[in-house]
Amino acid sequence: VRRAAFRRPLPGHPVDLETVADEAGLSTDAALEAVDLIVSVGMAELEAGMIVGMDGLTTRRTRHGLNLDHVELWTWCAYDIVGIAAALGAEAVGRTQCGACGRSIEVVIREGEPESTAVGWLPDESCSNVMAEFCPSALLFCSRAHLDELEDGPSHGAWRRPGHREPGRAWPVFLASARSMRPHASRSA
C-alpha cells in the first residue's frame, strides 16, 4: 500500500483508495485498514477518502516545497526534500525556510545529489507520529552559525514537541551526499 500510494501523487494529484488497493492487489477494505494504520503513525495523509500524502511526499501545501521533475509537490519536513529526490534519483528543486531566521533556502538536487550549503538539524528521538513529532524539528538552516545559535538548547517554538516541556534531543547533520542514502547496486566481478 505504501509503495503504491507514494508513487501515485508524483503527477501532483491525490489518489483514491480504490486505485491504491488495485495496484497493491488488495481489497478496498484491506487497503483502508492499512492506510488507517499508516495514518495513525503520521506516515500518510487521508482527506475525504483520498490519499494526499505518503512517506513524506504530499499534494497538500506545506512550508517545504518540492518541484520534482517539473511537478509541484510538498514534503512534511525539510529533510524529505533531499531524501525523496535522492531515493528516486531525481532532478528536483526544494524550497524551505531557515529554522532560525526564516530566510528562504533553495536546495537543488541533480540525479539525487543535493547542491546546497545548508546544514540540518535531525532529531534523534523516537516518536509515535512522524508528522506531529519528528517533522516540526527536522529543519534546515541557511548557515552553520544559525544552527550553532540553537544547538545548545533551542527555544524556538518549532523545536518543542506538543506535550513536552523540554526540546527534543537532536544532533546536527550536514547535507551529505544523497547517493550514500540510496541502496548500492550489486557489482559483478
Side-chain angles (χ1 to χ4, degrees):
V1 168
R2 288 174 70 183
R3 189 173 298 125
F6 178 81
R7 293 221 176 258
R8 297 304 295 177
L10 292 178
H13 307 288
V15 62
D16 62 85
L17 192 57
E18 292 78 18
T19 300
V20 170
D22 188 52
E23 286 187 26
L26 298 171
S27 70
T28 303
D29 287 342
L32 178 58
E33 186 176 329
V35 169
D36 283 344
L37 180 61
I38 299 165
V39 167
S40 75
V41 295
M43 292 295 295
E45 293 176 282
L46 190 62
E47 290 180 4
M50 301 291 283
I51 298 170
V52 297
M54 183 66 70
D55 293 335
L57 187 64
T58 183
T59 59
R60 178 184 54 82
R61 184 177 294 275
T62 71
R63 66 185 273 193
H64 314 289
L66 181 64
N67 186 303
L68 187 62
D69 293 329
H70 308 290
V71 176
E72 200 61 38
L73 296 163
W74 292 270
T75 67
W76 298 334
C77 75
Y79 273 84
D80 286 336
I81 291 170
V82 176
I84 289 168
L88 297 172
E91 303 289 314
V93 177
R95 294 163 316 285
T96 190
Q97 297 86 38
C98 175
C101 72
R103 181 179 143 217
S104 181
I105 297 173
E106 181 175 278
V107 180
V108 176
I109 300 112
R110 298 194 195 289
E111 297 179 14
E113 292 291 320
E115 299 175 358
S116 176
T117 57
V119 293
W121 181 272
L122 187 63
D124 69 352
E125 292 183 339
S126 63
C127 66
S128 60
N129 188 296
V130 173
M131 275 193 287
E133 299 169 19
F134 176 86
C135 290
S137 299
L139 302 172
L140 295 182
F141 295 83
C142 62
S143 69
R144 177 65 198 215
H146 279 176
L147 173 61
D148 290 343
E149 287 174 15
L150 299 176
E151 194 173 24
D152 294 327
S155 59
H156 186 274
W159 296 95
R160 296 193 183 277
R161 292 186 176 175
H164 289 72
R165 300 178 108 188
E166 298 298 320
R169 292 176 47 169
W171 46 277
V173 176
F174 285 90
L175 287 177
S177 169
R179 186 167 288 135
S180 64
M181 296 166 53
R182 292 195 307 261
H184 295 284
S186 57
R187 297 182 177 130
S188 49

